[in-house]
Every structure is written in structure tokens, then in C-alpha cells.
């Protein structure tokens, strides 16, 4: 997937030039919309002029179908796109305050810049007001930092919340927007404004086109883990086959005792095996695709010196989990060589072996559920001097850590 | 703003003669396309209030660097050696200024003016612009984004918080509308 571009690779001058040009497009459209004029924006809330509502909602549905269209045909990697995090209550209260200020001042930060560009004095004064508001916020937020950082739901989208595919939600929003546009035209006619019959017919073709794109997006669907894996399989499968990722138990033991490494161990065996025995700091994740997919976002953007190690009884499920995480852009993931069975071969002095009948089955007998409480869960690193080939190389962060109004 | 009547012929030249605004649906498609290109190329949406925050944090750290370093919020923007202006959103804001000017030139709308409702004086309008602006600045930082980033960009990316923001924004404006009727109406 070629987009979004890797801005770090392009360098600062090129990146900043791109942003200036995007800003020019943004400012141009805001001014064309008439958003530099406070009266035009405020008139929306007295139902005298529907330009603000129409421009904004048209922009949202246009961008939405184009973005998800690009995702559906595989040219845009949505996981690398910055989505504002959801802090539920702060967002609701901030939005309300902003709405009140918008009605009093008639502008918002972006439109006041566009207004100031066309020498509207009220827009310039408004901008000074924005600076004052920003100043007051900066000075007072330490007093309500707790609230301001509360109800953090992270990157949380409507499809995740409702459990409905993005395509369905997009089509619903598009149809809803078109109905509201139709309603606004009827209302405008009633209020003695423009007659919808005189508006250009082209808007019907536009509406049909946007519905058509939304339907196509719905049928193409959004790519999932298997698509993402296919995109990287050519390179990554080689690394698995060359055993570049399977780390020796002794190397893992070294990582466990390395205070400069943030080690995350994912035990992808079922709960029964996990309860019988697991490495002390290992977290249990069900070996299903969904569970591992759910874990992936939490493993992105951790401390730069993070190493993630997956493990199962031998290597089968751990390798599948590795593929799922790697396909979902998690970096620095390794597999425990030989799995928990090999770990117990080396460190489980008293463990009693048993024959295995099928792959990825525990090869030891447990008379009680030891969990993470026995010596083999966190062995003493000085006990053994094992020879192994170190494989862990901590790669730099590649995840997008940008931010909307940053 | 009133234009001094100098003489009939001169006045005709100086009188603003702005072009009408194009169809809002058409501009909406244009704005949506700009947003799409921004997300496609850079992975980031549009924004504005963050630029104001950064310019102010830069200014504040020039005057009272100690104070900025001790503020748990401001330190993330301008603490120590941080360069608050060295951020893409500042470049975007510069672009908005240029783009707005170009569009104004094409639409013959670049002239000094105080845009206001018919029933209030210039002074009242400017006072309320200042007041409204400070509410908006405060609210935008509280919500971690303004109408551009949380509203427009976040909504197009189906963020739950952004749709909550949009509803709260319209609710706030509609709730305030009856109290400030005089500002915008006859």
C-alpha cells in the first residue's frame, strides 16, 4: 500500500511544502464557502442560510467515501492514518463550549484565519480571542488534568463501537446526509428563501455518484488481517522459514532480565494450559485470530525499546500469532523457539514429560495448576550458561505518532 | 465599514463588488477532496487550533520559559529545547492564510470590513468576536481539536469522539442562539 507517504523518508522541507499546499487548498475552500464571513456561519443557527451545514456535511461524506474507497482498493493503509482519540466527556464538554463560542463569535479557528486573510477585522479580533482562550486553557488545565485525561477510549471508531462493517455505516451516513439536505431545502423554501426547483440539477447527479461510490465501498469491504498478511507475506515468510525470528529460550531469559528492554510476552495457549504453567510475566491471549487482532493496537506505539515474544506449546500457534501481529503493523515481534515445551525441557528440572498426540500440545504432566508460581516460570539466569545465536534486533518505531490539532 | 464618498466616479471603483459564493454542495465536494488528499498523502487530517496553540506556546516560552517548563500541559509543546513551531500544523495554517487570500482575490472579497449583524455597532461586534473567540479557543483545546480536526477530519474517519463532538458543537450553538439573537438578526 503506497499511501500515506512515509514523511520521515521525504524529509522536512518536502513534508512542510506538502502541508503548505494542503493548507492553501483548505483555506481556499473555506473562503469559497463564505466561511470567512461570520454572518453567513451564524445564519445557520437561525435557519436563514444552510451553507454551513451543507458544505460541512458534503465535505464529510465526500472525504469519507474517498478515504474508505482508497482503503477498499488497497492503496491507503488506514492503520497508518491518524484518527483523533476519543476522550468522551472532555470531547462532549469542549464541543459544547466551542459551539457556544461559535454562536457568539460567528467563526471557528480555521475560518477566522480565512477571514483574516481577506482583511475581515472581526475575524482578526476573533483570532486574538482564540489566543486568549488557548492561553486560559493552558494555564488552568493543570487544575483539571484528571478530568481532561479521563474517559479515554483511545482510537475508537463507529464500526468498532457498533460492531457493524464500515461500509454499512458509510452508506447509512451518506443516505442520512442526503435526506437532511433534502429536508433543509424544503425548510428553506418554507422560510421564504431559495426555491429548490431553481437550484442546479447537477446536485442530483452528484448525490447519485456519492451513493454509488458508497455502495461500491460496501461491496468491496475493508481489508482484514489476511489481506494485510498477503501484502507482506513474500518478505516475512522467508524470515520465518530462515528461522530469523525464533529465539532460543536462553535469549528470552536474557530479555526477561534486561532492564533496558520493555518485554511483552504473549502466551497464546488456551486458558487451561496457561493456568497449569506459564512464564511469570506472560499474558494470556486466546489463539483465535480475533483475540490476537484485538491485542495488536495495544502493542503499537509502546516504548521504543519494546520486544514482543509470542509462545505456544511448540511453535504453530505462536507463529500464527506472529503473522497476525506483523500483518497489523506491530514491530519487534519474536517467537519462542520450541515453545513452552522446549522452555520446560531446559528449565523445568522436575517436569515429567509425556508423549504428545497432536501438534502444539503440552509435552508435560502437571498434577496441579502451577500458573506462574514455580521456579521454571522465572528461572535464575546465573544457573545456566547456554550457548545460543542471538536474534533480537530492536527496530525503530514506524507507527504514525502525529496528531490532528497536535 | 463605511467608505467615504469622494466622488461618483471614484466611489464606483472603490465600492466593494464581491462575487457571489459558489454552490455550497460544490464547495463541500472541494473541501472533502482536500481533506481526502491530506489523509491520503500525509496520514493526517486538517486542523487549525493546534497551530494557534503552538504559536502561543512558542511566544509564552520566549517570555517565561520557567513557567512553561513547570506547566504539565505546556511543557509538552514548548518545554526545554522543544520547538513548538516546528510542526506540520503550523505550515498548514500558513497555507490557509495564503489560500484564503487567493480565494478572496478571485472573489473580489479582499477589503477591510467588520462583518456583523445589522442591529449592532462595530464596537459590540468586535467585543463579542473577542469573547466568542476565547470561548472557541478554550473549547477547542478542551475537546483536543476544533471544527476542522475533530469535526471534519475525525467524522470522515468515523471516530466516535468526533461524532460526539459534532453533536455537542451543534447543541452548544443551537442552545446559545436564542440568547444572542440580536447579534445576528434585524
Amino acid at each position: 500500500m503506497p499511501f500515506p507517504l512515509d514523511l520521515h523518508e521525504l524529509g522536512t522541507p518536502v513534508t512542510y511544502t506538502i502541508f503548505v499546499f494542503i493548507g492553501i487548498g483548505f483555506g481556499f475552500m473555506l473562503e469559497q464557502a463564505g466561511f470567512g464571513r461570520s454572518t453567513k456561519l451564524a445564519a445557520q443557527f437561525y435557519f436563514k442560510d444552510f451553507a454551513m451545514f451543507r458544505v460541512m456535511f458534503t465535505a464529510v461524506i465526500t472525504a469519507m467515501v474517498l478515504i474508505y474507497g482508497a482503503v477498499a482498493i488497497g492503496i491507503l493503509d488506514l492503520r497508518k492514518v491518524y484518527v483523533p482519540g476519543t476522550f468522551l466527556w472532555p470531547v462532549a464538554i469542549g464541543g459544547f463550549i466551542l459551539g457556544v463560542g461559535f454562536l457568539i463569535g460567528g467563526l471557528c479557528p480555521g475560518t477566522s484565519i480565512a477571514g483574516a486573510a481577506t482583511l475581515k477585522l472581526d475575524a482578526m479580533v476573533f483570532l486574538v480571542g482564540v489566543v486568549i482562550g488557548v492561553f486560559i486553557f493552558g494555564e488552568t488545565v493543570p487544575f483539571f488534568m484528571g478530568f481532561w485525561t479521563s474517559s479515554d477510549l483511545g482510537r475508537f471508531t463507529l464500526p468498532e463501537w457498533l460492531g457493524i462493517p464500515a461500509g454499512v455505516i458509510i452508506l447509512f451516513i451518506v443516505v442520512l446526509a442526503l435526506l437532511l439536505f433534502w429536508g433543509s431545502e424544503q425548510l428553506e423554501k418554507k422560510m421564504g428563501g431559495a426555491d429548490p426547483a431553481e437550484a442546479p440539477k447537477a446536485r442530483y447527479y452528484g448525490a447519485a455518484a456519492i451513493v454509488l461510490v458508497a455502495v461500491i465501498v460496501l461491496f468491496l469491504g475493508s481489508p482484514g488481517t489476511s489481506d494485510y498478511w498477503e501484502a507482506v507475506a513474500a518478505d516475512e515468510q522467508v524470515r520465518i522459514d530462515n528461522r530469523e525470528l525464533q529465539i532460543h529460550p536462553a535469549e528470552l531469559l536474557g530479555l526477561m532480565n534486561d532492564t533496558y528492554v520493555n518485554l511483552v510476552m504473549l502466551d497464546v495457549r488456551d486458558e487451561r494450559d496457561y493456568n497449569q504453567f506459564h512464564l511469570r510475566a506472560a499474558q494470556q491471549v486466546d489463539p483465535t485470530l480475533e483475540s490476537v487482532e484485538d491485542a495488536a493496537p495495544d502493542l503499537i506505539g509502546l516504548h521504543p525499546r519494546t520486544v514482543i515474544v509470542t509462545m505456544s506449546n511448540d511453535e504453530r500457534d505462536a507463529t500464527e500469532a506472529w503473522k497476525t501481529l506483523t500483518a497489523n503493523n506491530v514491530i519487534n515481534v519474536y517467537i519462542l523457539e520450541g515453545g513452552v515445551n522446549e522452555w520446560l525441557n531446559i528449565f523445568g528440572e522436575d517436569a515429567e514429560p509425556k508423549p504428545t498426540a497432536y501438534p502444539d500440545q503440552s509435552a508435560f504432566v502437571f498434577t496441579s495448576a502451577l500458573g506462574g508460581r514455580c521456579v521454571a516460570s522465572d528461572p535464575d539466569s546465573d544457573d545456566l550458561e547456554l550457548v545460543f545465536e542471538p536474534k533480537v534486533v530492536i527496530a525503530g518505531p514506524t507507527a504514525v505518532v502525529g496528531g490532528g490539532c497536535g | 465599514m463605511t467608505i467615504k464618498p469622494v466622488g461618483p466616479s471614484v466611489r464606483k471603483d472603490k465600492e466593494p463588488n464581491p462575487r457571489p459564493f459558489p454552490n455550497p454542495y460544490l464547495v463541500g465536494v472541494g473541501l472533502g477532496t482536500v481533506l481526502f488528499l491530506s489523509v491520503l498523502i500525509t496520514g493526517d487530517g486538517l486542523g487549525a487550533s493546534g497551530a494557534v496553540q503552538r504559536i502561543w506556546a512558542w511566544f509564552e516560552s520566549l517570555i517565561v520559559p520557567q513557567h512553561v517548563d513547570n506547566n504539565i500541559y505546556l511543557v509538552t509543546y514548548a518545554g526545554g529545547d522543544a520547538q513548538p513551531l516546528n510542526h506540520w500544523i503550523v505550515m498548514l495554517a500558513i497555507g490557509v492564510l495564503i489560500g484564503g487570500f487567493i480565494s478572496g482575490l478571485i472573489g473580489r472579497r479582499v477589503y477591510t470590513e467588520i462583518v456583523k449583524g445589522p442591529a449592532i455597532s462595530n464596537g459590540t461586534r468586535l467585543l463579542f468576536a473577542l469573547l466568542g473567540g476565547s470561548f472557541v479557543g478554550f473549547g477547542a483545546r478542551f475537546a483536543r481539536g476544533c471544527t476542522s480536526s475533530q469535526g471534519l477530519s475525525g467524522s470522515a474517519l468515523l471516530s466516535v469522539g468526533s461524532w460526539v463532538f459534532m453533536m455537542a458543537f451543534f447543541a452548544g450553538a443551537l442552545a446559545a442562539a436564542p440568547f444572542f439573537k440580536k447579534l445576528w438578526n434585524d
Side-chain angles (χ1 to χ4, degrees):
Chain A
M1 278 169 272
F3 292 105
L5 300 179
D6 186 347
L7 299 181
H8 289 287
E9 211 167 89
L10 287 175
T12 306
V14 178
T15 305
Y16 281 8
T17 310
I18 292 172
F19 277 112
V20 169
F21 273 97
I22 290 169
I24 290 175
F26 184 30
F28 186 89
M29 290 303 167
L30 288 179
E31 209 286 332
Q32 285 288 305
F35 286 3
R37 299 188 71 82
S38 51
T39 45
K40 197 167 173 65
L41 287 166
Q44 173 64 63
F45 295 95
Y46 298 98
F47 304 104
K48 289 181 168 173
D49 186 333
F50 290 84
M52 182 209 166
F53 174 73
R54 287 173 190 164
V55 172
M56 272 198 80
F57 224 174
T58 307
V60 167
I61 59 173
T62 303
M64 192 170 66
V65 299
L66 289 175
I67 290 167
Y68 277 85
V71 170
I73 59 171
I75 61 167
L76 174 64
D77 189 346
L78 194 59
R79 300 162 304 167
K80 289 183 181 164
V81 171
Y82 173 78
V83 176
T86 294
F87 291 79
L88 202 59
W89 289 110
V91 158
I93 291 171
F96 192 88
I97 297 171
L98 204 152
V100 172
F102 182 87
L103 197 281
I104 298 173
L107 295 159
C108 62
T111 61
S112 67
I113 299 175
T118 55
L119 307 180
K120 305 305 168 225
L121 297 177
D122 58 312
M124 295 178 190
V125 172
F126 181 93
L127 209 44
V128 174
V130 175
V131 172
I132 295 171
V134 163
F135 165 65
I136 296 172
F137 181 80
E139 297 307 313
T140 55
V141 69
F143 300 107
F144 53 88
M145 206 64 182
F147 177 77
W148 193 60
T149 51
S150 68
S151 54
D152 179 9
L153 304 175
R155 179 178 169 138
F156 189 45
T157 59
L158 294 172
E160 290 165 23
W161 177 42
L162 300 169
I164 300 172
V168 178
I169 293 170
I170 288 167
L171 186 60
F172 174 79
I173 294 173
V174 166
V175 171
L176 179 74
L178 295 177
L179 286 175
L180 288 172
F181 291 154
W182 179 82
S184 78
E185 291 183 358
Q186 300 305 312
L187 193 63
E188 198 174 26
K189 189 183 173 186
K190 225 175 169 181
M191 306 280 277
D195 183 359
E198 286 165 18
K201 286 279 172 290
R203 70 198 201 287
Y204 292 121
Y205 303 122
I210 208 159
V211 170
L212 184 69
V213 179
V215 170
I216 292 171
V217 169
L218 176 64
F219 278 99
L220 286 177
S222 295
T225 295
S226 58
D227 304 283
Y228 294 140
W229 173 250
E230 254 169 52
V232 295
D235 295 332
E236 301 294 349
Q237 188 63 48
V238 176
R239 296 179 66 206
I240 296 177
D241 297 341
N242 290 346
R243 300 197 63 80
E244 292 172 27
L245 306 153
Q246 291 83 348
I247 62 168
H248 191 275
E251 184 167 16
L252 177 58
L253 185 59
L255 292 171
M256 285 161 69
N257 290 294
D258 187 341
T259 47
Y260 292 100
V261 168
N262 176 29
L263 179 65
V264 179
M265 293 188 277
L266 297 182
D267 192 327
V268 294
R269 299 173 303 159
D270 60 28
E271 238 177 295
R272 187 175 159 272
D273 281 358
Y274 178 81
N275 287 338
Q276 284 190 330
F277 170 80
H278 61 82
L279 275 66
R280 190 158 294 159
Q283 307 165 28
Q284 195 260 339
V285 174
D286 279 332
T288 60
L289 178 67
E290 292 77 29
S291 304
V292 181
E293 274 176 349
D294 284 349
D298 301 329
L299 299 171
I300 294 173
L302 295 178
H303 189 275
R305 290 189 62 79
T306 295
V307 173
I308 297 153
V309 179
T310 63
M311 62 190 75
S312 52
N313 279 319
D314 51 45
E315 288 180 4
R316 189 195 59 182
D317 288 350
T319 306
E320 283 308 308
W322 185 90
K323 287 181 180 178
T324 304
L325 294 178
T326 303
N328 284 296
N329 277 352
V330 183
I331 54 167
N332 296 329
V333 189
Y334 292 87
I335 301 163
L336 177 60
E337 190 173 60
V340 175
N341 287 340
E342 179 64 15
W343 180 271
L344 284 170
N345 264 334
I346 297 173
F347 302 112
E349 288 164 9
D350 311 326
E352 184 190 330
K354 69 171 184 191
T356 56
Y358 47 88
D360 230 348
Q361 188 188 4
S362 177
F364 291 88
V365 179
F366 294 95
T367 47
S368 63
L370 299 169
R373 293 188 306 272
C374 61
V375 179
S377 293
D378 193 7
D380 193 334
S381 54
D382 301 332
D383 280 0
L384 289 157
E385 299 229 340
L386 291 160
V387 181
F388 62 89
E389 180 198 345
K391 291 171 182 170
V392 172
V393 181
I394 302 178
T398 54
V400 181
V401 281
C405 266
Chain B
M1 267 206 148
T2 48
I3 281 116
K4 278 184 195 163
V6 183
S9 61
V10 180
R11 188 182 169 182
K12 204 179 174 188
D13 283 347
K14 286 213 167 179
E15 187 129 31
N17 182 24
R19 290 178 207 275
F21 293 111
N23 183 286
Y25 298 121
L26 196 63
V27 182
V29 171
L31 183 57
T33 307
V34 172
L35 172 55
F36 163 67
L37 288 175
S38 178
V39 168
L40 183 75
I41 296 169
T42 71
D44 264 306
L46 305 170
S49 66
V52 180
Q53 172 70 70
R54 284 180 177 276
I55 291 167
W56 175 255
W58 168 76
F59 186 69
E60 209 170 338
S61 73
L62 278 188
I63 307 167
V64 280
Q66 284 278 305
H67 172 71
V68 170
D69 288 348
N70 289 326
N71 182 307
I72 187 172
Y73 173 78
L74 293 172
V75 73
T76 58
Y77 288 101
D81 297 330
Q83 294 294 326
L85 297 185
N86 199 355
H87 193 269
W88 63 265
I89 199 149
V90 179
M91 304 302 133
L92 195 80
I94 293 168
V96 172
L97 207 57
I98 301 169
F101 181 71
I102 295 170
S103 167
L105 281 184
I106 294 169
R108 296 196 295 243
R109 292 184 287 266
V110 184
Y111 49 87
T112 51
E113 184 190 7
I114 294 172
V115 184
K116 64 176 184 67
I120 55 168
S121 69
N122 284 341
T124 311
R125 166 65 189 131
L126 294 183
L127 185 71
F128 278 91
L130 194 71
L131 186 69
S134 48
F135 268 72
V136 165
F138 187 87
R141 296 327 291 163
F142 206 112
R144 292 180 171 77
C146 57
T147 346
S148 314
S149 59
Q150 280 286 11
L152 217 53
S153 312
S155 299
L157 290 162
L158 306 181
S159 166
V160 174
S162 296
W163 285 89
V164 171
F165 171 88
M166 282 286 243
M167 281 181 244
F169 166 75
F170 274 95
L174 280 174
F179 301 102
F180 297 96
K181 231 174 178 165
K182 214 177 150 236
L183 281 182
W184 306 108
N185 297 283
D186 303 324

